[in-house]
Amino acid sequence: MLSTGYIVSGFSVGLLVGVTGVGGGSLMTPLLVFLFGFKPAVAVGTDLLFAAITKTGGVWVHHGKHNSVEWKIVGLLALGSLPCALGTLYVLQQLHVTGKEIGHVITYSLGIALILTACALLVRSILMNKAQKAGLIDDDHSTESNAARFPRLHVPATVLTGAVLGVLVTLSSVGAGALGTVALLFLYPKMTTLKVVGTDLAHAIPLTAVAGLGHWSIGNVDLALLGSLLVGSLPGIWIGSHLSAKIPERFLRPVLAAVLLLIGLKFVFQ
């Protein structure tokens, strides 16, 4: 059964995601824990499936309309992230079977992920400015090799980045958006921002889907909550994306980073 409170929350988070481009997990998961009192494991599991569904539409726009997904980079990221996500799920499953509490592990991981996301929000604009000065390769001609910062090391560096994201996203539902984008901006500074965002979105779908289904199998997904969040968030994202051009992001992003930093510290030290 749909809940008005959850729908409104989904709309609010969707609106912020549309305006700022920040991943929904950074906002949704803390909201579910603090405002509605969900267990961190349930908040993370539900948000992972929520992210997999909402990001699918974003990839359709980026690849179908803009052709701005570098699939080889997606494959390299997935080569690291999916096995690590499955390994993390296996550990969580074993802890669950033996009756050990996984809430503390997830809460601590969520705090770390939020702190890193707050830092990423501040670093992102710096990397984007440097990329503009360095000279970008247009989307039709850029590849994972000619746009890379480390031409000889970009393959293992990308796989390692995927592995870190796989563990962090599975434990916290945070990182597939903001952290993934910043990592790609650093590793591939000559790639356009549009292609970086499209590539990060394309990688986030299988990662959040695998992690979300794994949490579902453990019992960490609330389907009624998921439905309510989707009903609210989809129009919120649409409206937010249209408002983004009218709202000064340079003011909103630092405020959002500060809020996420405080929430992250609370999770870590509670």
Side-chain angles (χ1 to χ4, degrees):
M1 183 176 180
L2 300 181
S3 168
T4 303
Y6 301 154
I7 293 174
V8 172
S9 297
F11 177 82
S12 302
V13 170
L15 192 68
L16 281 172
V17 169
V19 170
T20 65
V22 177
S26 307
L27 305 166
M28 184 68 76
T29 307
L31 186 68
L32 293 176
V33 174
F34 287 131
L35 184 60
F36 295 109
F38 282 94
K39 291 182 178 180
V42 174
V44 167
T46 304
D47 183 65
L48 282 167
L49 285 183
F50 169 80
I53 295 170
T54 54
K55 289 177 186 294
T56 300
V59 169
W60 179 81
V61 171
H62 276 273
H63 182 61
K65 292 187 176 182
H66 305 305
N67 195 29
S68 57
V69 175
E70 182 58 50
W71 291 105
K72 187 167 182 180
I73 295 178
V74 173
L76 291 173
L77 288 169
L79 187 62
S81 66
L82 297 186
C84 286
L86 291 171
T88 304
L89 287 167
Y90 176 78
V91 172
L92 291 176
Q93 175 72 45
Q94 294 304 114
L95 291 174
H96 181 74
V97 169
T98 56
K100 294 183 179 179
E101 177 60 43
I102 62 174
H104 179 70
V105 174
I106 290 179
T107 300
Y108 187 80
S109 302
L110 181 57
I112 295 297
L114 288 172
I115 292 171
L116 292 175
T117 299
C119 296
L121 288 176
L122 301 176
V123 171
R124 179 177 175 175
S125 58
I126 298 174
L127 291 176
M128 290 174 66
N129 290 334
K130 285 187 176 181
Q132 293 290 342
K133 294 178 181 178
L136 301 174
I137 303 173
D138 65 80
D139 288 343
D140 291 332
H141 298 92
S142 67
T143 65
E144 87 292 343
S145 56
N146 65 20
R149 183 183 298 272
F150 311 109
R152 296 182 180 180
L153 297 174
H154 72 278
V155 170
T158 305
V159 174
L160 179 61
T161 298
V164 174
L165 288 174
V167 174
L168 199 60
V169 170
T170 303
L171 288 174
S172 68
S173 78
V174 177
L179 293 180
T181 300
V182 167
L184 291 180
L185 284 170
F186 177 76
L187 292 174
Y188 301 94
K190 295 182 180 180
M191 191 169 288
T192 65
T193 303
L194 183 65
K195 199 165 190 178
V196 166
V197 172
T199 301
D200 180 61
L201 271 173
H203 166 249
I205 290 175
L207 174 55
T208 53
V210 167
L213 291 172
H215 275 276
W216 188 9
S217 69
I218 301 174
N220 291 340
V221 173
D222 188 318
L223 292 178
L225 171 63
L226 175 62
S228 298
L229 295 177
L230 288 172
V231 169
S233 68
L234 296 179
I237 293 172
W238 186 85
I239 294 172
S241 63
H242 285 78
L243 291 175
S244 60
K246 301 178 181 180
I247 297 177
E249 185 183 345
R250 65 181 181 275
F251 297 123
L252 188 57
R253 190 173 288 270
V255 172
L256 190 56
V259 172
L260 293 179
L261 179 62
L262 290 174
I263 296 173
L265 290 172
K266 180 174 176 58
F267 274 121
V268 169
F269 294 108
Q270 73 175 8

